[in-house]
Amino acid sequence: MATKSLLVTPTAWFTVKTSDVERQSKVFLNICTDDCIPEPPKRTDDTLNAVSTAAAETGEIVRRLAERMTKYRNMILEIVLDTADSQFSWNLSREIVFPNNMRSKGKLMPRQVTIPTSSSPILITPEFQEITEGGYYRMEIDVPKLDKNSYQRTMLDVEEMRVLLKSDSLYELDVVIDVKNGKGIAIDEASAKWHKNMGKIIIRAPLLA
């Protein structure tokens, strides 16, 4: 992933107090934000956006949140504590305290950070339907955003009991198929076709005897 170095002045959000278990010393962590940190890629479902992060080279950790809401605080803190442990060879206690009315411990100084210049796309898990009847199996995978260019960069692998689909920057599916015979499908006789007007990829195959 391409990166760039920027000089940022962190904006205080809140401070937590914990301790280094091995050194038995108090540790304050300033949780900050900065508008230069790129936002995470957008999701097309209701799953919480991933959090883009940039760690400062000293004790303060600069964070850009998908949403600045209290209900995400525990998730952010776990990321902060894990990053601090890894970066500084600490062993921080997960028992933390929020000092009253303290947004930062000490003055927040400008610092150089390395950030990604772009975010990798998050692939969509497409919906699909399975039908087994008359000795045949059919799977219909919904891919409404697939076009001619992305179709040319789509990989589809059909196995006896598994279907794998990956379309560049769009879809990803890895599923064990549900067949009533429990033996799978005859892959030598399987067929797959993209139906552009329907926005579907349809797989057909006879069931193994």
Side-chain angles (χ1 to χ4, degrees):
M1 178 183 292
T3 61
K4 62 181 177 180
S5 181
L6 288 178
L7 182 67
V8 303
T9 300
T11 300
W13 187 25
F14 64 93
T15 296
V16 296
K17 177 184 176 182
T18 182
S19 62
D20 187 323
V21 176
E22 294 181 359
R23 296 177 176 82
Q24 296 185 346
S25 58
K26 292 186 295 184
V27 175
F28 289 86
L29 294 173
N30 293 327
I31 315 302
C32 311
T33 66
D34 193 276
D35 290 338
C36 78
I37 308 301
E39 293 183 357
K42 301 299 182 184
R43 293 295 296 264
T44 57
D45 53 29
D46 293 330
T47 305
L48 172 65
N49 284 340
V51 181
S52 294
T53 63
E57 294 180 359
T58 56
E60 295 157 357
I61 299 176
V62 182
R63 298 287 166 182
R64 172 75 173 185
L65 305 179
E67 295 181 40
R68 297 187 189 182
M69 296 179 68
T70 302
K71 68 178 182 179
Y72 300 136
R73 180 174 288 181
N74 289 341
M75 179 188 72
I76 299 304
L77 283 175
E78 190 61 34
I79 296 173
V80 171
L81 293 169
D82 287 347
T83 302
D85 280 346
S86 175
Q87 185 172 351
F88 304 112
S89 299
W90 290 342
N91 182 14
L92 296 179
S93 170
R94 267 42 181 179
E95 295 182 5
I96 60 175
V97 175
F98 298 93
N100 291 333
N101 302 318
M102 182 183 291
R103 297 190 64 187
S104 69
K105 177 69 172 179
K107 184 177 181 181
L108 298 178
M109 303 298 292
R111 63 193 61 252
Q112 206 77 21
V113 297
T114 300
I115 64 172
T117 56
S118 62
S119 298
S120 299
I122 295 180
L123 302 182
I124 303 167
T125 300
E127 295 184 357
F128 62 92
Q129 301 80 41
E130 296 177 283
I131 302 172
T132 302
E133 59 183 6
Y136 278 81
Y137 170 83
R138 183 170 83 249
M139 174 183 282
E140 299 182 2
I141 307 174
D142 298 329
V143 287
K145 295 186 177 182
L146 199 66
D147 58 23
K148 183 177 180 180
N149 290 331
S150 56
Y151 177 70
Q152 293 175 347
R153 300 190 297 274
T154 296
M155 182 277 294
L156 178 64
D157 185 15
V158 180
E159 302 176 2
E160 290 183 356
M161 293 290 293
R162 188 182 182 193
V163 171
L164 298 95
L165 170 73
K166 188 169 184 179
S167 181
D168 185 39
S169 301
L170 279 177
Y171 299 105
E172 185 171 37
L173 179 68
D174 184 351
V175 62
V176 175
I177 64 177
D178 181 16
V179 290
K180 295 179 180 179
N181 65 354
K183 298 179 180 179
I185 60 176
I187 58 175
D188 292 340
E189 301 177 60
S191 65
K193 184 176 180 180
W194 172 42
H195 295 263
K196 181 179 179 180
N197 293 337
M198 298 171 60
K200 295 177 180 289
I201 292 176
I202 299 180
I203 301 168
R204 291 186 176 91
L207 297 173
L208 288 173

